[in-house]
């Protein structure tokens, strides 16, 4: 009886279920422990391909996360700068609208002379001319041009003018947020 081929010869043994072992030379072995010269290089090729794919995936994920972080950082910075100014602009819109909508008899008590009442009406008209979208655009442009010489925009002059007007009216309490410098 001849000895079965060795593993070095590339033949593997299978159990056929009929009580006999049979040699399989077709490469369909469930335990492919080939030591053939080409087998190691194909594993190396597969491993190199897998490493390359994982490297690309990691790079793409890193780029994506970096973009998200940069966008979030930009949002946080812009929010820190714009939220107080937006709140202040909302106060200006609310105060000018509320004072302008008062009956004339109350306006005369709060704003002692016609000149002050005229200034209030001018301020209210100036505020109403600026839509919320335009105010956001103006604020954004002022941030972009932060290296340019400081030119006061209407978003800065109108609150200052209102503050000056309200300080001349003894019966009007000025909100602290409006008093703060931009």
């Amino acid at each position: 009886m001849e000895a079965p081929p060795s593993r070095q010869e590339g033949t593997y043994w299978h159990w056929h279920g009929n009580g006999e072992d049979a040699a399989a030379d077709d490469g369909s072995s469930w335990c492919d422990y080939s030591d053939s010269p080409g087998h190691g290089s194909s594993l190396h090729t597969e491993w190199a391909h897998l490493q390359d794919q994982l490297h690309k995936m990691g790079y793409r994920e890193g780029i994506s996360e970096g973009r998200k972080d940069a966008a979030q950082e930009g949002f946080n910075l812009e929010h820190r700068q714009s939220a107080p100014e937006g709140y202040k602009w909302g106060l200006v819109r609310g105060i000018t609208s509320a004072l302008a909508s008062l009956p004339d008899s109350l306006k005369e008590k709060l704003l002692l002379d016609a000149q002050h009442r005229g200034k209030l009406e001018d301020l209210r008209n100036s505020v109403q001319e600026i839509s919320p979208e335009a105010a956001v655009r103006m604020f954004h442009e002022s941030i972009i041009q932060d290296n340019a010489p400081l030119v006061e925009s209407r978003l800065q002059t109108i609150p200052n003018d209102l503050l000056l007007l309200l300080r001349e009216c003894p019966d009007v309490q000025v909100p602290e947020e409006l008093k703060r410098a931009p």
Side-chain angles (χ1 to χ4, degrees):
M1 180 165 187
E2 204 175 307
S6 68
R7 284 190 181 172
Q8 286 80 17
E9 295 173 354
T11 303
Y12 311 100
W13 292 94
H14 292 277
W15 177 258
H16 281 274
N18 58 5
E20 298 179 16
D21 289 337
D25 291 323
D26 62 357
S28 63
S29 167
W30 59 273
C31 58
D32 189 7
Y33 293 112
S34 176
D35 292 332
S36 64
H39 186 72
S41 74
S42 77
L43 283 178
H44 178 71
T45 303
E46 281 184 44
W47 176 248
H49 179 70
L50 181 61
Q51 279 183 314
D52 185 51
Q53 282 182 323
L54 292 174
H55 178 76
K56 285 178 185 176
M57 287 172 46
Y59 181 78
R60 288 180 186 137
E61 285 181 24
I63 293 288
S64 177
E65 288 299 314
R67 285 182 182 152
K68 287 178 190 174
D69 289 347
Q72 184 64 48
E73 185 178 320
F75 174 83
N76 291 347
L77 176 65
E78 187 79 18
H79 186 271
R80 250 190 322 273
Q81 292 174 334
S82 66
E85 291 302 313
Y87 181 74
K88 188 175 187 177
W89 184 248
L91 283 174
V92 169
R93 288 182 68 91
I95 290 169
T96 56
S97 293
L99 290 176
S101 68
L102 291 174
D104 289 337
S105 61
L106 283 177
K107 281 186 210 175
E108 290 171 4
K109 289 180 182 177
L110 291 174
L111 305 167
L112 301 177
D113 59 39
Q115 182 182 3
H116 285 103
R117 290 188 294 277
K119 284 182 183 179
L120 173 66
E121 191 59 33
D122 291 343
L123 282 172
R124 185 180 113 20
N125 290 336
S126 294
V127 168
Q128 295 304 317
E129 289 174 2
I130 302 172
S131 70
E133 294 81 12
V136 169
R137 240 186 338 270
M138 291 167 74
F139 181 76
H140 180 71
E141 289 168 2
S142 73
I143 289 176
I144 290 174
Q145 298 173 353
D146 65 356
N147 293 333
L150 182 61
V151 177
E152 278 196 325
S153 74
R154 289 172 58 194
L155 292 178
Q156 294 168 323
T157 59
I158 292 174
N160 292 339
D161 292 345
L162 178 61
L163 184 57
L164 290 173
L165 177 65
L166 294 178
R167 284 185 178 160
E168 295 176 13
C169 304
D171 292 331
V172 176
Q173 292 183 346
V174 179
E176 288 298 317
E177 294 86 352
L178 192 59
K179 293 178 185 177
R180 294 187 191 127

